[in-house]
Amino acid sequence: MSKFWNSKTLNIDPYVPGEQPKGIERLIKINTNENPYGPSPKVIEAIKNASDDALRLYPDPNGTKVREAFAKINGISIENVFVGNGSDEVLGFAFAAFFDKDKKINFADITYSFYPVYCKMFDVTYNILPLKDDLSIDVEDFCHCEGGVCIANPNAPTSLAISLSDIERILQSHIDDVVIVDEAYVDFGAESAVKLINKYPNLLVTQTLSKSRGLAGLRVGFAAGSTELIEGLDRVKNSFNSYTMDKLAMAGAEAALYDTEYFTEITRKISATRDRVSAKLKYLGFDVPESKANFVFIEHKTFKAQDLFPYLRSKGILVRYFNKEKIDNRLRVTIGTDEEMDCFLSVLEEYVNERS
């Protein structure tokens, strides 16, 4: 606590990111949903080529080329695309642009934990809707609530997705409110709502290059929506920092978007590993919801997650544990390489067998 903090700083409860180990300790890091295979080689080449004397100049404040790339691969207009410094920033701009004390927002009780942080930061009124017992989103609740909506699809940390038809039901129930669909993990098995933006002017879809394209360290995120919504995001961004995207990030992002062959290969590989690991986990007695993301959210009825978490850490394996009601007996496990996941499964199997 500091005497120099204002009341907002004093009372805010910041988002807590997953552990990022430092030093020489060798760990299997499957706790922060990073891509284990890294970016396309074309990304590295593009960044190297962009590292020239022009770095002394400010970058394109509109991110024109990278927005064009996103628009092209999604079959939409560049006027319907916003780019920012990671989808976290894009979501922050969206909360600031479309909601306030009088224009509230609804989201699930178990979802991306940054949402309530945005609300407190920007003085947004929010309402929490409980997930069902099976951790799925209650679409009826989201159809009948008042105010805007934010849904992570697939949801984090549950890994579950809802259909486009369910998203359309929610959109049709909130024609006068903004509906945000956060698609950070959509490329691993869910269906994107970007194709719906021309049909629903109240729809804003956010995506990131951190997961499926292996660019978590570069920080690039997008929003797709009506020109009215994109203009709202621009107004907030340009009242905060007109140059949120640097030249190297835009060069790398453009290359990543256009290398669809690498993208397809890597997402298929991760999804195949996820399905194989899920089957083995079920064999070991774990409940594993049907994941449409690059992680699984597991629970064992006999062994407690709060015991498994430090045991795995002692074996050099980092996973994510949320000490929160309804999910405090689950672990979120990112899908790593086949070798990493085999090691994880071996350690877990040893734990289960020794204590059974």
Side-chain angles (χ1 to χ4, degrees), residues 59-63 66-67 81-94 112 114 118 206-210 215-223 233-234 236-238 240-251 253:
D60 174 11
N62 298 315
V66 70
R67 287 170 56 227
V81 180
F82 177 90
V83 64
N85 188 36
S87 61
D88 284 342
E89 180 183 81
V90 175
L91 284 163
F93 288 157
Y112 188 28
F114 229 135
Y118 295 137
T206 62
Q207 292 190 3
T208 178
L209 301 191
S210 295
L215 291 177
L218 209 59
R219 314 307 302 130
V220 183
F222 297 91
L233 294 176
D234 279 328
V236 171
K237 184 203 76 164
N238 291 328
F240 173 73
N241 176 12
S242 294
Y243 301 99
T244 59
M245 293 296 301
D246 68 73
K247 184 172 183 280
L248 302 185
M250 287 190 284

Side-chain angles (χ1 to χ4, degrees), residues 28-68:
I28 293 177
K29 189 175 181 297
I30 48 176
N31 65 323
T32 49
N33 297 343
E34 293 149 326
N35 190 315
Y37 298 109
S40 159
K42 293 180 180 179
V43 170
I44 307 302
E45 181 183 0
I47 293 174
K48 288 179 179 178
N49 292 338
S51 301
D52 54 26
D53 182 66
L55 288 176
R56 64 187 174 84
L57 304 174
Y58 285 111
D60 174 11
N62 298 315
T64 304
K65 288 187 177 180
V66 70
R67 287 170 56 227
E68 284 178 345

Side-chain angles (χ1 to χ4, degrees), residues 189-231:
E191 190 174 4
S192 176
V194 169
K195 66 186 70 175
L196 299 177
I197 63 167
N198 292 321
K199 185 177 180 181
Y200 298 99
N202 58 327
L203 170 63
L204 188 78
V205 181
T206 62
Q207 292 190 3
T208 178
L209 301 191
S210 295
K211 314 301 181 183
S212 57
R213 289 178 171 82
L215 291 177
L218 209 59
R219 314 307 302 130
V220 183
F222 297 91
S226 65
T227 55
E228 180 182 359
L229 296 185
I230 300 304
E231 182 182 354

